Amino acid sequence: MTATTPKATSIPDFCEGIQYFGEALPHFETYGAKSAIAEGSVGISDPTDQAAVYQTLLVADALRYLTLQVTGSKASGHPGGFASQAEAYAALVMLGYKNIITEVGHHAPGFYSAMFLDRSLEDMGISTVQQLRDRYREKHGLLGHLSGYIPGILAPAGPLGQGQHFAMAAALLHKDKLFPFTVGDGGFGEPYVMSSMAHFHTAYPSATNFLPVLVWNGYSQEHHSMVSTKTNEEMLAYWHGNGFEEVILVNAKDFDDKNQPGDYVDSTAFSFEQRLAFTKAVLAGIDKAAKSALSGKLTAFIIKQLKGAGVHARGAKSHNLYPKDTLDAPHIINALKGRALSASAWQLVRTNCEKAGGGPAAKTVVTEFQLPLPELGELPLEEYAVGGDPKVSTTAMGRLVGKVGECDRTFLVTNADGNEASGIANINQALKIIHPTTDDLYNQSPNGQVYEPLSEDACAGLAVGLSLMGARSLWCSYESFAINGLPIWQTVTQAMAELRRPTPATITLYTAGALEQGRNGWTHQRPEVEAYFAAMMRNGNVFPLFPPDANSIQVCYDWALTTKNKGIVITASKSPLPIRTTFEQNRQGLEDGAIVLHEVAGGKKVVFAVVGDMTLIPVFEAAAFLETEGIGVKIVSVINPRRLYRPNDVAWDTCSEPDGVFLDDAKFAEIFGGDALIGVTGGASGMLEPIMLRSNAKRDTFAWKRGETTASAGELMAFNGLTAEALTKRAIELVH
């Protein structure tokens, strides 16, 4: 194709910044004279119509051109993967489907190009290609991987193996809409992708309105993909074997008239007639797949085309741009010229993309609106008498969880290891485990609200996906195994920090902490996970909560349900423990970060800052001995450590729903002031950092070291140095 520069008056304003224009493609006068999407329609009416096919190809080429020019403008980013499925994305748009999600963060520049073409990015002041180039990979611009900060983008994408969770969550909440998501060769190697969809389909057999679109291009990030050696028959059998009823595969190789070697070929190298034939097959296949998914069949679409089709390189070499890959580099120039469209074609593409789906994605996709939720009213909190019979915290919270589910039928509880094992069987009794087999003994029902795949990734994924999409959820896990679900929890929580709309906090309950798992040994003793949350507190929207008793946990959960765009982690024991606090104390403790449980005057004062509930037991024992020695003691329960940081320690003011409440210096001194300070936690010492940063007293930390098989919590605490004797000895040393 010859690159030309048309007269300035014929170039649409949005094209400012496009470096190369091409001559009109063959038959443009015939098939490009008017939009294939009729006025008032959301998509093309006939996927076999030649004008619709032709204009779908134009959209695919426009996406490739912009993807390469945008990444080339910074010599950075990932054009190859998106380029290999451009026809599939274009087909979805032309058919009117814009609630498109991806599992592939590397597809970001392609998605941004799509949002530019349909005018969604005008909401962030990007109206021209030049502005698109300028703000790509820049602060307050188009970040390198997808995020809900970008208008029209439904979900974040970073770590592989996550996109299906968002699509499935959206499918549950919007049963009349289709949620396609692209999954790449590399991500398909993650074990969670297929297994999570299989479990979801067993639990929700009628929720088939999500559509995996496998981008089968033969390569992952830096080498051949692990599924590249599968035959077409093997790939189809794999999907069918995992429960997919309809699997549609369109292979570019079947249309190749240039004798390209290998199983994966580049359709942009075909003759123009064969390019149209391939595009027609993709368009028809996507149309069939979409209708199948919406009609109740579990469906997948596979596009098989060489990675990098139509951009600067092929195979894994197309994945990433490097400093040498600038817009001045000959290979980039040649690739752009090869995809260059005429000014008239650009205008037609803009018109189609804007009309498709009923308007820009930023005005139409489901995440651009707050999901209406039923009011919960006042939850029936039950306040236990301080000093009364010991109570199980998790069970007290479980009763409230059941009430939430009864009020809100979209509410979902997820758990991989079993609620009964965590002292929250009452959740199963109230809401029922989702299972095709009804069984009252095991609290099972096809219409339940407790989702129990044996995968923390699947548990966390669906729970946080629902929160991101605007619904309430609760992910329950053993603290020891939570780490397997945390990557997607972190992805969503950080996305919530910049989300452009309020959404319910993603709430978790971690039970059966290390101290309760003595006989199970170190495999069940992994409180190091708390270091993960301790680090995330500085993000600004992450709030780990440590209720000391069954009254406290009710207040914590009640508060969590009222919050927006936060990640709230409640960690509690499933053992009966003393009631030490009132509701009023806990409400103050959530606000201040901590509450004083016990205080006795003496010659010198030792302050114990305690994270957790079981860890209070040796601390109270130590206090009793110290008091006999005439040493003053104060025991402080750290409930909400995020409040104990100083404002400048935390990026709270960068969050979309900012929470700038921190304990001031005077109140900090009032609560934690003394001659010596000892921080005590059964988990990671990092959770005590806010206190240690601010205290000027002589101080020390007692924390988890490592796991071991023991007969009791006390023996395990002793193995980690968390004993009354050790605490007493260190307290005396610090005050003398």
Side-chain angles (χ1 to χ4, degrees):
M1 183 188 302
T2 304
T4 64
T5 303
K7 295 176 183 177
T9 53
S10 65
I11 302 176
D13 291 344
F14 76 88
C15 291
E16 179 193 343
I18 290 179
Q19 289 180 242
Y20 306 102
F21 290 88
E23 295 178 351
L25 291 170
H27 319 302
F28 185 81
E29 300 81 1
T30 304
Y31 300 120
K34 65 175 183 177
S35 170
I37 300 176
E39 289 302 319
S41 297
V42 298
I44 57 173
S45 57
D46 179 5
T48 65
D49 174 62
Q50 195 65 8
V53 173
Y54 188 96
Q55 292 178 33
T56 300
L57 178 56
L58 292 182
V59 174
D61 273 359
L63 288 169
R64 286 189 174 102
Y65 181 95
L66 286 179
T67 299
L68 184 57
Q69 185 161 302
V70 166
T71 53
S73 69
K74 299 294 163 66
S76 178
H78 312 284
F82 186 88
S84 60
Q85 56 83 64
E87 288 82 5
Y89 194 105
L92 285 166
V93 171
M94 290 294 285
L95 288 163
Y97 304 112
K98 280 193 175 173
N99 284 285
I100 307 173
I101 295 166
T102 186
E103 173 267 346
V104 197
H106 295 138
H107 284 184
F111 273 73
Y112 298 154
S113 297
M115 294 305 104
F116 173 77
L117 287 172
D118 84 350
R119 305 186 73 163
S120 289
L121 296 188
E122 290 181 9
D123 284 3
M124 57 188 295
I126 297 175
S127 300
T128 68
V129 173
Q130 187 61 53
Q131 292 167 337
L132 181 67
R133 293 165 54 176
D134 292 344
R135 293 182 62 187
Y136 176 63
R137 291 199 157 207
E138 300 291 343
K139 188 177 180 183
H140 303 309
L142 301 165
L143 62 167
H145 286 59
L146 295 174
S147 165
Y149 169 72
I150 309 299
I153 299 296
L154 283 87
L160 298 177
Q162 295 187 348
Q164 75 280 0
H165 298 306
F166 303 125
M168 293 186 298
L172 273 183
L173 297 172
H174 305 278
K175 293 184 168 56
D176 60 333
K177 298 188 187 312
L178 182 72
F179 296 92
F181 75 93
T182 57
V183 54
D185 279 27
F188 201 54
E190 293 286 330
Y192 307 127
V193 176
M194 194 64 91
S195 66
S196 61
M197 291 189 290
H199 185 92
F200 180 86
H201 185 56
T202 304
Y204 298 106
S206 64
T208 62
N209 53 312
F210 67 99
L211 177 65
V213 176
L214 176 63
V215 185
W216 193 17
N217 57 38
Y219 293 87
S220 60
Q221 191 162 323
E222 295 182 346
H223 50 73
H224 292 262
S225 68
M226 295 304 285
V227 297
S228 62
T229 62
K230 285 187 181 294
T231 64
N232 294 340
E233 292 72 24
E234 287 171 338
M235 179 61 83
L236 291 170
Y238 181 66
W239 286 85
H240 284 303
N242 279 279
F244 282 81
E245 191 175 351
E246 184 80 65
V247 186
I248 298 164
L249 190 158
V250 179
N251 184 4
K253 182 83 172 174
D254 295 339
F255 301 86
D256 182 27
D257 58 356
K258 299 299 182 182
N259 297 315
Q260 297 177 61
D263 293 331
Y264 304 88
V265 300
D266 177 357
S267 71
T268 68
F270 301 170
S271 66
F272 189 66
E273 289 70 24
Q274 285 305 99
R275 290 200 69 199
L276 286 172
F278 173 62
T279 304
K280 184 174 184 177
V282 173
L283 188 59
I286 287 283
D287 181 59
K288 181 180 178 182
K291 289 173 178 171
S292 173
L294 286 167
S295 70
K297 285 184 182 179
L298 191 61
T299 304
F301 179 84
I302 302 170
I303 181 170
K304 189 175 184 181
Q305 175 167 220
L306 180 64
K307 185 163 186 169
V311 288
H312 68 296
R314 304 296 181 269
K317 299 300 182 185
S318 71
H319 178 78
N320 195 54
L321 293 189
Y322 294 93
K324 65 181 177 60
D325 299 316
T326 66
L327 293 177
D328 297 326
H331 65 292
I332 301 290
I333 292 171
N334 289 335
L336 288 171
K337 287 182 176 179
R339 297 277 68 78
L341 298 175
S342 68
S344 297
W346 277 111
Q347 184 57 65
L348 180 60
V349 167
R350 162 56 66 95
T351 299
N352 281 333
C353 289
E354 187 179 0
K355 289 165 69 174
K363 308 297 183 190
T364 59
V365 299
V366 297
T367 49
E368 295 296 330
F369 308 92
Q370 255 188 285
L371 187 73
L373 294 174
E375 292 292 330
L376 296 179
E378 197 169 313
L379 291 182
L381 278 64
E382 182 179 351
E383 187 165 14
Y384 303 113
V386 174
D389 292 338
K391 300 291 181 183
V392 177
S393 289
T394 55
T395 306
M397 177 172 158
R399 190 174 60 83
L400 301 182
V401 172
K403 293 297 181 183
V404 172
E406 289 169 10
C407 295
D408 180 358
R409 296 301 297 175
T410 65
F411 174 72
L412 194 71
V413 179
T414 68
N415 191 320
D417 214 48
N419 283 332
E420 291 209 32
S422 293
I424 42 179
N426 52 359
I427 294 178
N428 295 349
Q429 292 156 10
L431 302 181
K432 308 304 178 188
I433 298 166
I434 307 160
H435 198 283
T437 303
T438 300
D439 191 321
D440 293 339
L441 177 63
Y442 298 106
N443 300 301
Q444 293 174 190
S445 167
N447 299 312
Q449 292 172 265
V450 180
Y451 188 71
E452 284 205 349
L454 295 180
S455 160
E456 293 293 357
D457 174 85
C459 281
L462 193 59
V464 300
L466 287 165
S467 290
L468 184 72
M469 296 292 158
R472 300 181 179 104
S473 68
L474 175 68
W475 170 33
C476 301
S477 177
Y478 267 21
E479 182 184 62
S480 357
F481 309 135
I483 194 71
N484 296 316
L486 283 182
I488 189 165
W489 186 88
Q490 180 178 14
T491 297
V492 169
T493 304
Q494 293 202 215
M496 283 181 169
E498 59 185 16
L499 209 60
R500 294 173 301 106
R501 61 183 165 84
T503 194
T506 176
I507 305 173
T508 71
L509 172 63
Y510 297 141
T511 61
L515 302 181
E516 293 179 299
Q517 295 288 323
R519 292 192 185 277
N520 281 325
W522 63 263
T523 65
H524 284 56
Q525 299 163 15
R526 292 170 179 164
E528 297 91 347
V529 70
E530 291 173 22
Y532 198 107
F533 305 117
M536 285 187 72
M537 279 195 289
R538 287 180 176 258
N539 285 4
N541 71 330
V542 174
F543 290 76
L545 304 181
F546 296 90
D549 60 25
N551 280 345
S552 183
I553 199 170
Q554 295 179 75
V555 174
C556 287
Y557 184 54
D558 192 41
W559 173 74
L561 286 166
T562 68
T563 63
K564 303 294 183 186
N565 298 55
K566 289 181 171 62
I568 296 180
V569 179
I570 302 173
T571 301
S573 295
K574 62 174 184 175
S575 303
L577 292 172
I579 302 299
R580 305 184 189 275
T581 63
T582 66
F583 281 174
E584 188 52 42
Q585 280 181 299
N586 281 291
R587 292 185 180 109
Q588 192 63 46
L590 278 172
E591 186 78 2
D592 292 344
I595 51 174
V596 177
L597 297 182
H598 177 81
E599 186 169 14
V600 172
K604 295 272 191 175
K605 181 184 289 184
V606 176
V607 178
F608 290 100
V610 186
V611 173
D613 45 24
M614 296 189 82
T615 39
L616 286 164
I617 296 170
V619 172
F620 270 91
E621 290 178 21
F625 182 82
L626 290 169
E627 288 161 17
T628 65
E629 297 292 301
I631 297 173
V633 177
K634 183 190 289 188
I635 299 175
V636 180
S637 177
V638 178
I639 296 176
N640 189 356
R642 154 65 168 72
R643 295 269 188 248
L644 300 176
Y645 272 117
R646 300 159 300 193
N648 289 341
D649 295 329
V650 176
W652 65 272
D653 51 342
T654 68
C655 296
S656 61
E657 297 286 323
D659 184 321
V661 179
F662 295 90
L663 189 67
D664 63 35
D665 290 340
K667 194 70 182 287
F668 183 89
E670 179 186 324
I671 294 175
F672 294 100
D675 298 293
L677 172 69
I678 297 179
V680 184
T681 175
S685 60
M687 201 60 77
L688 292 162
E689 184 193 48
I691 303 158
M692 297 301 167
L693 278 175
R694 298 179 73 176
S695 173
N696 293 317
K698 289 183 178 180
R699 56 197 182 276
D700 206 343
T701 297
F702 282 68
W704 178 262
K705 295 172 183 171
R706 65 177 296 269
E708 180 56 273
T709 300
T710 63
S712 66
E715 190 178 350
L716 187 54
M717 281 194 269
F719 179 76
N720 282 279
L722 296 166
T723 65
E725 293 76 15
L727 292 166
T728 301
K729 180 175 180 292
R730 187 62 182 132
I732 292 171
E733 290 171 355
L734 288 172
V735 296
H736 288 309

